[in-house]
Amino acid sequence: MKKLVIFDLDGTLLNTIADLAQSTNHALSVLGYPMHEESAYNFMVGNGINKLFERALPEGEKSEENVLRVRKEFVPHYDRHNADKSRPYPGIPELLEQLQLQGLQIAVASNKYQAATQKLIAHYFPKIDFVAIFGQREGVNVKPDPIIVEDILSIAKVDKKDVLYVGDSGVDMQTAINAGVTSCGVTWGFRPRTELEEFNPDYIVTGAKEIIDIIKK
């Protein structure tokens, strides 16, 4: 039986795409750049917000300077509006409560910047006692670098064989592979099932309840 379950945040625990799209479009509009349809953001997120902004900027405008200009407009807006439309996916609150009741440790490993990661977890899952909540931190490589998983393991004090990593993207599956832990892809997130399958994860699930069965293995 697994002892620690590590969850990605965006696209795994929470559907955050509407608020991410709104705040990015706000920043682009302020700076005079064209905006994007909400659905387009499914393929822009997942590698941290700087990469999101680079992808959202027009060709020929993807400089580091422009990325930082977008970030300056995005962060204050997102900090105010990141819980406007974001919601937990079906069955996720119940899953987290059940894992906690069964005595498992639960952690979050996200490429969303740290302050927003902590704020959203506190807002939507106040009754869950997470052993660690890590987002994108200054000076720390983002996923798929395994450092975020290794940092969680150092706190949780569990062996890699006792860990299940759950995420919705190829980045997440690669993170689990790089960290040497069991991988579980979810199909309800931002990326298609085919992206998950490219990485041959240990498991792919279509509903939150299926994760309960996996942790018993």
Side-chain angles (χ1 to χ4, degrees):
M1 183 169 173
K2 301 300 184 188
K3 298 178 180 177
L4 167 67
V5 185
I6 301 174
F7 289 95
D8 169 54
L9 179 58
D10 300 76
T12 302
L13 294 179
L14 295 177
N15 185 349
T16 55
I17 205 71
D19 292 330
L20 286 166
Q22 177 185 338
S23 290
T24 307
N25 278 340
H26 165 80
L28 292 171
S29 177
V30 167
L31 297 172
Y33 293 120
M35 296 183 289
H36 302 278
E37 294 291 331
E38 182 179 309
S39 59
Y41 283 98
N42 285 328
F43 293 93
M44 296 186 197
V45 299
N47 297 88
I49 59 172
N50 283 5
K51 181 60 71 172
L52 161 62
F53 305 148
E54 180 185 315
R55 290 167 175 160
L57 283 162
E59 292 300 325
E61 297 291 335
K62 300 179 184 291
S63 66
E64 183 177 351
E65 179 184 358
N66 284 341
V67 165
L68 294 176
R69 290 173 66 217
V70 176
R71 183 177 180 126
K72 184 178 179 180
E73 300 295 337
F74 171 94
V75 170
H77 189 275
Y78 190 66
D79 285 345
R80 292 193 303 273
H81 297 284
N82 59 20
D84 286 1
K85 297 181 179 179
S86 296
R87 296 291 183 270
Y89 285 100
I92 288 296
E94 294 83 359
L95 169 64
L96 295 178
E97 289 173 11
Q98 192 166 353
L99 292 175
Q100 185 163 271
L101 282 172
Q102 292 184 9
L104 277 80
Q105 296 187 81
I106 308 168
V108 171
S110 176
N111 275 346
K112 183 188 291 293
Y113 62 100
Q114 181 70 21
T117 299
Q118 291 176 307
K119 179 181 176 181
L120 287 171
I121 289 295
H123 180 77
Y124 288 104
F125 308 113
K127 296 180 180 180
I128 304 302
D129 184 20
F130 292 89
V131 66
I133 301 169
F134 285 147
Q136 182 181 5
R137 296 163 290 161
E138 194 69 32
V140 179
N141 290 340
V142 298
K143 300 183 297 186
D145 190 296
I147 185 66
I148 191 168
V149 174
E150 293 165 1
D151 286 348
I152 291 170
L153 293 181
S154 69
I155 296 171
K157 308 295 185 188
V158 299
D159 293 333
K160 290 184 176 182
K161 64 179 176 60
D162 297 323
V163 179
L164 181 68
Y165 181 102
V166 183
D168 73 305
S169 70
V171 169
D172 289 308
M173 299 305 95
Q174 190 64 58
T175 302
I177 292 167
N178 291 345
V181 299
T182 303
S183 55
C184 177
V186 306
T187 61
W188 56 76
F190 301 157
R191 301 297 177 85
R193 184 186 182 109
T194 51
E195 180 175 311
L196 298 171
E197 291 172 343
E198 289 176 13
F199 294 88
N200 298 308
D202 296 295
Y203 303 96
I204 295 180
V205 298
T206 59
K209 286 184 178 180
E210 296 173 57
I211 294 172
I212 294 295
D213 294 328
I214 292 173
I215 64 168
K216 297 175 183 177
K217 298 179 181 179

